[in-house]
Amino acid sequence: DAKTTQPPSMDCAEGRAANLPCNHSTISGNEYVYWYRQIHSQGPQYIIHGLKNNETNEMASLIITEDRKSSTLILPHATLRDTAVYYCIVRVKDTNAGKSTFGDGTTLTVKP
Amino acid sequence: NAGVTQTPKFRVLKTGQSMTLLCAQDMNHEYMYWYRQDPGMGLRLIHYSVGEGTTAKGEVPDGYNVSRLKKQNFLLGLESAAPSQTSVYFCASSYAYRTDTQYFGPGTRLTVL
Protein backbone atom coordinates (compact mmCIF):
# COMPACT_ATOMS: atom_id res chain seq x y z
CA ASP A 1 0.00 0.00 0.00
CA ALA A 2 1.21 3.50 -0.86
CA LYS A 3 2.37 5.81 1.90
CA THR A 4 0.62 9.06 2.73
CA THR A 5 1.81 12.39 4.10
CA GLN A 6 -0.41 14.64 6.18
CA PRO A 7 0.28 17.81 8.18
CA PRO A 8 0.50 16.99 11.90
CA SER A 9 -2.05 19.57 13.00
CA MET A 10 -4.56 22.16 11.77
CA ASP A 11 -6.98 24.60 13.33
CA CYS A 12 -10.38 25.61 12.02
CA ALA A 13 -12.99 28.10 13.20
CA GLU A 14 -16.38 26.67 14.12
CA GLY A 15 -18.83 26.95 11.22
CA ARG A 16 -16.09 27.29 8.64
CA ALA A 17 -15.02 24.65 6.16
CA ALA A 18 -12.11 22.46 7.23
CA ASN A 19 -9.85 21.38 4.37
CA LEU A 20 -7.49 18.55 5.27
CA PRO A 21 -4.80 17.71 2.68
CA CYS A 22 -3.13 14.38 2.02
CA ASN A 23 -0.26 13.57 -0.31
CA HIS A 24 -0.02 10.10 -1.81
CA SER A 25 2.41 10.56 -4.69
CA THR A 26 3.19 6.84 -5.03
CA ILE A 27 -0.43 5.73 -5.29
CA SER A 28 -1.02 3.01 -7.83
CA GLY A 29 -3.92 2.73 -10.24
CA ASN A 30 -5.96 0.27 -8.21
CA GLU A 31 -5.54 1.94 -4.83
CA TYR A 32 -8.39 3.81 -3.19
CA VAL A 33 -8.10 6.78 -0.86
CA TYR A 34 -9.83 6.27 2.49
CA TRP A 35 -10.40 8.76 5.28
CA TYR A 36 -11.07 7.88 8.90
CA ARG A 37 -11.17 9.97 12.03
CA GLN A 38 -10.59 9.21 15.68
CA ILE A 39 -12.17 11.27 18.39
CA HIS A 40 -10.25 11.18 21.63
CA SER A 41 -10.37 7.77 23.39
CA GLN A 42 -12.71 6.25 20.80
CA GLY A 43 -12.15 3.80 17.96
CA PRO A 44 -11.55 5.21 14.48
CA GLN A 45 -14.63 6.02 12.40
CA TYR A 46 -14.94 5.69 8.65
CA ILE A 47 -15.68 8.95 6.82
CA ILE A 48 -15.40 8.51 3.07
CA HIS A 49 -13.41 6.88 0.30
CA GLY A 50 -12.82 7.31 -3.43
CA LEU A 51 -10.80 6.16 -6.42
CA LYS A 52 -10.55 9.07 -8.85
CA ASN A 53 -13.85 10.91 -8.87
CA ASN A 54 -14.83 13.39 -6.22
CA GLU A 55 -17.13 11.92 -3.60
CA THR A 56 -19.62 13.40 -1.16
CA ASN A 57 -21.66 11.94 1.66
CA GLU A 58 -23.48 13.25 4.70
CA MET A 59 -20.24 13.73 6.60
CA ALA A 60 -17.75 15.16 4.13
CA SER A 61 -16.51 15.65 0.59
CA LEU A 62 -13.40 14.09 -0.91
CA ILE A 63 -11.56 15.89 -3.70
CA ILE A 64 -8.94 13.84 -5.54
CA THR A 65 -6.57 15.57 -7.97
CA GLU A 66 -6.57 14.46 -11.58
CA ASP A 67 -3.16 12.80 -11.24
CA ARG A 68 -4.38 11.17 -7.98
CA LYS A 69 -1.21 12.16 -6.16
CA SER A 70 -3.07 14.15 -3.54
CA SER A 71 -6.50 14.59 -2.06
CA THR A 72 -8.41 16.90 0.26
CA LEU A 73 -11.06 16.01 2.79
CA ILE A 74 -13.58 18.82 3.25
CA LEU A 75 -15.81 19.19 6.28
CA PRO A 76 -18.16 21.90 5.01
CA HIS A 77 -19.29 23.37 8.33
CA ALA A 78 -16.95 22.25 11.09
CA THR A 79 -18.33 21.90 14.60
CA LEU A 80 -16.56 21.46 17.91
CA ARG A 81 -17.43 17.76 17.76
CA ASP A 82 -15.31 17.44 14.61
CA THR A 83 -12.17 17.93 16.71
CA ALA A 84 -10.31 14.66 16.11
CA VAL A 85 -7.32 13.02 14.45
CA TYR A 86 -7.98 12.49 10.74
CA TYR A 87 -6.26 9.64 8.94
CA CYS A 88 -5.75 9.37 5.20
CA ILE A 89 -4.80 5.91 3.96
CA VAL A 90 -4.51 4.37 0.52
CA ARG A 91 -5.11 0.72 -0.12
CA VAL A 92 -6.24 -1.74 -2.68
CA LYS A 93 -9.88 -2.65 -2.32
CA ASP A 94 -11.18 -6.18 -2.55
CA THR A 95 -7.96 -8.01 -1.88
CA ASN A 96 -6.95 -10.68 0.56
CA ALA A 97 -4.15 -8.52 1.89
CA GLY A 98 -6.34 -6.81 4.46
CA LYS A 99 -3.38 -4.76 5.49
CA SER A 100 -4.12 -1.24 6.56
CA THR A 101 -1.62 0.72 8.59
CA PHE A 102 -2.72 4.14 9.73
CA GLY A 103 -0.05 6.83 9.97
CA ASP A 104 0.05 9.68 12.46
CA GLY A 105 -2.78 11.61 10.80
CA THR A 106 -3.73 15.28 11.19
CA THR A 107 -5.02 16.57 14.50
CA LEU A 108 -7.84 18.97 13.65
CA THR A 109 -8.86 21.37 16.37
CA VAL A 110 -12.10 23.24 15.79
CA LYS A 111 -12.18 26.46 17.81
CA PRO A 112 -15.22 28.51 18.87
CA ASN B 1 -27.07 -4.19 16.38
CA ALA B 2 -24.10 -3.69 18.71
CA GLY B 3 -21.47 -3.39 15.96
CA VAL B 4 -17.98 -4.25 17.20
CA THR B 5 -17.49 -4.86 20.90
CA GLN B 6 -14.31 -5.51 22.87
CA THR B 7 -13.75 -7.17 26.21
CA PRO B 8 -12.28 -6.03 28.59
CA LYS B 9 -12.12 -2.23 28.38
CA PHE B 10 -9.18 -1.95 30.76
CA ARG B 11 -6.61 -4.38 32.13
CA VAL B 12 -3.41 -4.25 34.14
CA LEU B 13 -0.99 -7.16 33.89
CA LYS B 14 2.34 -8.02 35.44
CA THR B 15 5.26 -8.92 33.21
CA GLY B 16 5.02 -12.57 32.20
CA GLN B 17 1.29 -12.93 32.73
CA SER B 18 -0.98 -14.03 29.93
CA MET B 19 -4.36 -12.80 28.81
CA THR B 20 -6.84 -12.91 25.94
CA LEU B 21 -8.67 -9.96 24.43
CA LEU B 22 -12.04 -10.74 22.88
CA CYS B 23 -13.52 -8.98 19.88
CA ALA B 24 -17.05 -9.69 18.72
CA GLN B 25 -19.02 -8.35 15.75
CA ASP B 26 -22.65 -8.90 14.81
CA MET B 27 -22.50 -7.59 11.23
CA ASN B 28 -21.58 -10.92 9.59
CA HIS B 29 -18.28 -9.43 8.40
CA GLU B 30 -15.69 -11.71 6.86
CA TYR B 31 -12.61 -9.67 7.74
CA MET B 32 -11.46 -8.90 11.25
CA TYR B 33 -8.37 -7.05 12.45
CA TRP B 34 -6.38 -6.30 15.59
CA TYR B 35 -4.46 -3.02 15.84
CA ARG B 36 -2.40 -1.41 18.56
CA GLN B 37 -2.10 2.31 19.02
CA ASP B 38 0.84 3.96 20.75
CA PRO B 39 1.54 7.68 21.13
CA GLY B 40 3.19 9.06 18.00
CA MET B 41 2.91 5.72 16.17
CA GLY B 42 -0.58 5.82 14.72
CA LEU B 43 -2.46 2.54 14.38
CA ARG B 44 -0.41 -0.54 13.53
CA LEU B 45 -1.86 -3.82 12.35
CA ILE B 46 -0.99 -6.83 14.52
CA HIS B 47 -2.91 -9.70 12.93
CA TYR B 48 -5.93 -10.03 10.72
CA SER B 49 -8.35 -12.69 9.51
CA VAL B 50 -10.09 -13.04 6.16
CA GLY B 51 -12.55 -15.64 7.39
CA GLU B 52 -13.42 -18.23 9.99
CA GLY B 53 -10.47 -20.49 10.71
CA THR B 54 -7.90 -18.27 8.94
CA THR B 55 -5.45 -15.73 10.33
CA ALA B 56 -2.47 -13.81 8.98
CA LYS B 57 0.31 -11.61 10.33
CA GLY B 58 0.19 -7.86 10.06
CA GLU B 59 2.88 -5.28 10.60
CA VAL B 60 3.76 -6.03 14.27
CA PRO B 61 2.76 -9.65 15.06
CA ASP B 62 5.57 -10.65 17.45
CA GLY B 63 4.45 -11.53 20.96
CA TYR B 64 0.81 -12.03 19.96
CA ASN B 65 -1.32 -14.92 18.78
CA VAL B 66 -4.83 -14.90 17.39
CA SER B 67 -7.66 -17.29 16.70
CA ARG B 68 -10.86 -17.07 14.66
CA LEU B 69 -12.83 -20.18 15.61
CA LYS B 70 -16.16 -18.49 15.00
CA LYS B 71 -16.90 -15.93 12.31
CA GLN B 72 -18.15 -13.36 14.78
CA ASN B 73 -15.23 -13.59 17.21
CA PHE B 74 -11.54 -12.73 16.90
CA LEU B 75 -9.30 -13.39 19.90
CA LEU B 76 -5.95 -11.74 20.58
CA GLY B 77 -3.67 -13.54 23.02
CA LEU B 78 -0.60 -12.42 24.88
CA GLU B 79 1.24 -15.49 26.17
CA SER B 80 3.87 -13.67 28.23
CA ALA B 81 3.12 -9.98 28.54
CA ALA B 82 5.95 -7.45 28.36
CA PRO B 83 5.96 -3.72 29.24
CA SER B 84 6.44 -2.98 25.51
CA GLN B 85 2.93 -4.32 24.97
CA THR B 86 1.41 -1.53 27.01
CA SER B 87 -0.91 0.07 24.49
CA VAL B 88 -4.49 0.64 23.41
CA TYR B 89 -5.78 -2.24 21.33
CA PHE B 90 -8.48 -1.79 18.72
CA CYS B 91 -10.41 -4.46 16.92
CA ALA B 92 -12.09 -3.83 13.58
CA SER B 93 -14.15 -5.72 11.04
CA SER B 94 -15.18 -5.25 7.42
CA TYR B 95 -17.01 -6.90 4.57
CA ALA B 96 -14.90 -8.80 2.09
CA TYR B 97 -14.98 -7.81 -1.57
CA ARG B 98 -17.28 -4.88 -0.95
CA THR B 99 -16.64 -1.40 0.41
CA ASP B 100 -13.85 -2.62 2.68
CA THR B 101 -14.91 0.04 5.17
CA GLN B 102 -13.64 -0.92 8.58
CA TYR B 103 -15.78 -0.63 11.69
CA PHE B 104 -13.83 -0.25 14.91
CA GLY B 105 -14.52 -1.26 18.46
CA PRO B 106 -14.11 1.09 21.45
CA GLY B 107 -10.64 -0.18 22.37
CA THR B 108 -8.95 -1.99 25.27
CA ARG B 109 -6.41 -0.11 27.34
CA LEU B 110 -3.73 -2.54 28.51
CA THR B 111 -0.95 -1.71 30.95
CA VAL B 112 1.87 -4.17 31.59
CA LEU B 113 3.90 -3.45 34.71
Side-chain angles (χ1 to χ4, degrees):
Chain A
D1 294 335
K3 286 191 174 181
T4 63
T5 304
Q6 298 177 254
S9 63
M10 292 181 64
D11 291 343
C12 178
E14 188 178 18
R16 297 281 192 165
N19 298 296
L20 292 92
C22 179
N23 286 324
H24 30 79
S25 59
T26 60
I27 192 170
S28 59
N30 60 347
E31 286 183 314
Y32 285 70
V33 180
Y34 286 81
W35 283 84
Y36 288 78
R37 73 179 182 184
Q38 186 174 22
I39 296 170
H40 182 61
S41 297
Q42 298 181 23
Q45 175 191 26
Y46 166 81
I47 302 173
I48 199 167
H49 76 283
L51 181 63
K52 55 183 177 181
N53 297 322
N54 298 338
E55 302 287 345
T56 296
N57 63 20
E58 65 278 4
M59 289 182 68
S61 295
L62 174 61
I63 309 297
I64 303 174
T65 58
E66 192 169 343
D67 64 6
R68 302 207 325 121
K69 293 185 177 182
S70 65
S71 60
T72 302
L73 178 75
I74 301 172
L75 307 178
H77 304 287
T79 70
L80 299 179
R81 288 176 294 179
D82 291 323
T83 292
V85 179
Y86 288 77
Y87 297 98
C88 166
I89 61 174
V90 291
R91 57 182 296 182
V92 180
K93 201 172 76 166
D94 295 349
T95 69
N96 274 334
K99 296 182 180 180
S100 181
T101 296
F102 291 54
D104 289 339
T106 296
T107 299
L108 175 69
T109 303
V110 180
K111 298 185 175 181
Chain B
N1 200 346
V4 180
T5 58
Q6 292 182 232
T7 309
K9 289 185 171 55
F10 303 94
R11 185 72 185 270
V12 178
L13 291 178
K14 294 181 180 179
T15 297
Q17 286 185 316
S18 63
M19 79 161 293
T20 300
L21 282 67
L22 171 64
C23 176
Q25 52 92 6
D26 61 2
M27 296 174 282
N28 202 34
H29 285 169
E30 291 292 334
Y31 287 8
M32 296 187 75
Y33 314 80
W34 275 108
Y35 293 88
R36 60 177 289 173
Q37 186 172 38
D38 304 295
M41 301 289 286
L43 280 161
R44 293 181 293 169
L45 184 65
I46 305 172
H47 285 280
Y48 65 98
S49 168
V50 300
E52 183 178 321
T54 68
T55 63
K57 294 180 179 179
E59 183 187 5
V60 288
D62 294 341
Y64 305 94
N65 57 74
V66 288
S67 64
R68 184 96 181 269
L69 298 179
K70 293 182 179 180
K71 185 178 183 179
Q72 63 267 34
N73 296 336
F74 195 28
L75 305 178
L76 178 70
L78 286 74
E79 290 185 346
S80 180
S84 61
Q85 294 177 305
T86 293
S87 187
V88 181
Y89 292 85
F90 288 101
C91 175
S93 69
S94 67
Y95 288 109
Y97 306 113
R98 290 179 63 177
T99 66
D100 201 32
T101 299
Q102 294 186 37
Y103 296 83
F104 284 81
T108 294
R109 187 172 296 274
L110 176 66
T111 301
V112 183
L113 302 175

